[in-house]
Amino acid sequence: SNRAFRILKLLELGIGKFYLMFRKRNLVLDLLRRVDRCEVEALISWGLWSRAVSTLPKSAQLATDDIDIGSKQTEMFSLAGELASLVEESAHVDYDSKPTSRMEMKRSLELRLKKRVKEQYIDGKFSDLLKKVIARPDTLRDAYDCIRLNSNVSISEIDGNVAFDSIAEELSSGVFDVASNSFSVTARDKTKEVLFLPSVALKVVQEAIRIVLEVVFSPHFSKISHSCRSGRGRASALKYISNNISHSDWCFTLSLNKKLDFSVFKDLLSVMEEKIEDNSLSILLSSMFQSRVLNLEFGGFPKGHGLPQEGVLSRVLMNIYLDRFDHEFYRISMRHEALDLNSTTGEDSPSSKLRSWFRRQAGERDLKSTTEQDTALRVYCCRFMDEIFFSVSGSKKAAVDIRSEAVGFLRNSLHLEIIDETDPSPCEATSGLRVLGTLVRKNVRESPTVKAVHKLKEKVRLFALQKEKAWTLGTVRIGKKWLGHGLKKVKESEIKGLADHNSTLSQISCHRKAGMETDHWYKVLLRIWMEEVLKTSADRSEEFILSKHVVEPTVPRELRDAFYKFQNSAAAYVSSETANVEALLPCPHSHDRPVFFGDVVAPTNAIGRRLYRYGLITAKGYARSNSMLILQDTAQIIDWFSGLVRRWVIWYEGCSNFDEIKVLIDNQVRMSCIRTLAAKYRIHEDEIEKHLDLELSMIPSAEDIEQEIQHEKLDSPAFDRDEHLTYGLSNSGLCLLSLARLVSESRPCDCFVIGCSMAAPAVYTLHAMERQKFPGWKTGFSVCIPSSLNGRRIGLCKKHLKDLYLGQISLQAIDFGAWR
């Protein structure tokens, strides 16, 4: 019934008022039994009712000819009758009024290939997939259209750059040469790193293989795998981790490190042969492995960011290979949770625990009491590509044993290396565990009483800070007036009497140079005096000297004593309320246990370091202009900064410290954009804000993007939010490009984006700012571009340059072999 209600919700989103026709539960169950679920979702969302009827068995199709739609004699219609009635009722609806999104078109192309793959399922295995599915011109054309949709290129235009017929013929005859359809890029630095990338023709073949392999293996993946699957992605993984870490005691992650070698590839092929019987497909994959164009690497860099070194087949091959670990985790979980023989009570007997374990795996609630559930051992695991997270509710010994078993299986059975040898850390004591580019930690949910005390403390602290700031500004203003008055009115004889005769001022006053003006000499003496004071007071500014050493000794004593008495009283109140808060917290021996929750935190320190490395802020944290963006157009500079803001809001909107991200957006990113434009036009930044106010409004605020995302979730179809279809697009890092040269008639250049036939008005240089180890922080920037692509020049049209900046395409959409 739960599956039926989920389908009802999808139908409600897809067909609007017609979802009432499927409100009866038995009809939905009949729909699930007869027709493939994913295909029904796509067909119903497009309103293709006749095609939905054609997917039914022949007996059901014949029923559509004999059924009387207007008849009320029977209480229930058959499924075919319901679909036939929808054909007539929806005939007048204009579905072409709303444009079809590119993710929806991509889903339809994959479903078309899915049907061809299912036709090859014979005797429990898929056979002859290469010759009968992949090596077909229409399959290669659909795969190429998927690539063009990822590149944000219209598939309505006919593209004759790829010869699908010749590629299909070469694949069928087994003469397709992988080596000639690949190229290498060598780094210009000392490392001489070599990156092998596929050509457009080979990338089309890899895309077709990817879709075929996902059709075969995706239905069998474990539920702990949240990587690149429909309904399971980065958001669902973080939600699962934050929910389970709240009632866990120990947590740890396993960092893998392994490049694809012969032993791993051999095991990968053996796993694939369990469901696929196609020797020619294995030979083709082996030739890709020998040519080093698979680019499959465990732990080398964070996956899913649209990086060029991440191969098209890497995500599905990694899921197929690590699926063995996912199923091994269930055996580890059963051994520790269900088959623990330490308990002796009848209710906690092994059979009872095993029965409860199976119920939890089936999604049912455990029938034990809350106290018994808290004391029982629980193991949780979540995997996103090659990032594996564990949390254990129980003793540390159990957590260490589980970790050792998982590490042993990864090393001995999967031949992978583990680079992190740390023991499991307590969830409450740890400052945070790095997972999917964020920090995940276990926090205590405050009671309403504690929240009220904290709120009052914060109000008192802010009020005292405001008064201190006003006092400092007032004294500094008086000190500056005193300086101005001294420079105008004081005489030479008065200058000598300002200091003691034994001081440095009196000793050097006789060495005044001839012709030196009185005000200039006064400035020199004042600076020397301030330097003496600064030696005794470390880290003090000139404003502090004016306020504390010049003005405050001269103000009335009653006023000065009243100010410091207020500040001491505010500090004493805040410290006393801290003790009161500790008294309000539950005692460890009391019956009121604290309520924990999983907290996801954005790494603001790492983000600040990236801003400095990319030249957007100074070492002290002040916004500055970016010299590499100055030569680009105003709209392109604003698009670059807008893309950074959009990435931050989409990625960190669910984090608890999202307000800090908003401060970075307003104080540093926006101001850096203004100063970059000011340096471009060589005018003051205030004038830039006046003249380019309309253009600067294109940099959205965090609140604007949050509202836009909420509207997109309500208006856009479910396909546009599927992380499987948007893999590497919305989360792709922002790369730094500088203008290399403009294109002229004597030196033409076309756009490097795959499938784009537009001319590129300019050529840009790609800059790799850093090489970061796995797992990397998600900061909105591309931090793992290989050094072999550093300084590589690429031609981009204005449309795709804007798409690359705003995250509509990634670096994988660029053909780096256009210039060799």
Side-chain angles (χ1 to χ4, degrees), residues 78-79 740:
S78 66
L79 174 62

Side-chain angles (χ1 to χ4, degrees), residues 169-187:
E169 185 178 354
E170 292 177 1
L171 289 173
S172 300
S173 58
V175 297
F176 183 78
D177 190 4
V178 176
S180 62
N181 284 281
S182 60
F183 61 94
S184 61
V185 182
T186 306

Side-chain angles (χ1 to χ4, degrees), residues 183 200 749-753 792-793 795 814-820:
F183 61 94
V200 176
C749 177
D750 293 332
C751 184
F752 279 26
V753 174
R792 191 80 175 179
R793 292 189 175 184
I814 297 176
D815 181 17
F816 289 96
W819 280 354
R820 300 184 187 178

Side-chain angles (χ1 to χ4, degrees), residues 234 304-306 647 650-651 723 726 728-733 778 807:
R234 173 254 172 194
H305 295 189
R647 284 171 172 84
I650 293 176
W651 188 261
E723 294 189 31
T726 59
L729 294 181
S730 59
N731 299 332
S732 58
K778 176 62 183 180

Side-chain angles (χ1 to χ4, degrees), residues 436-456:
L436 295 177
T438 60
L439 281 176
V440 181
R441 60 192 180 190
K442 181 179 179 180
N443 278 347
V444 180
R445 194 177 302 278
E446 296 178 344
S447 64
T449 308
V450 176
K451 286 184 179 180
V453 174
H454 280 310
K455 188 175 182 180
L456 183 59

Side-chain angles (χ1 to χ4, degrees), residues 61-110:
Q61 295 182 28
L62 294 176
T64 59
D65 300 331
D66 301 330
I67 192 166
D68 185 8
I69 302 302
S71 176
K72 303 295 182 179
Q73 296 178 359
T74 58
E75 289 184 4
M76 296 173 52
F77 292 108
S78 66
L79 174 62
E82 293 287 348
L83 293 175
S85 64
L86 290 176
V87 174
E88 296 182 359
E89 293 185 12
S90 60
H92 64 279
V93 181
D94 185 12
Y95 289 99
D96 296 333
S97 58
K98 184 178 180 180
T100 305
S101 63
R102 62 170 179 157
M103 290 300 107
E104 197 171 356
M105 290 187 290
K106 184 179 178 181
R107 183 58 177 269
S108 66
L109 293 173
E110 292 190 358

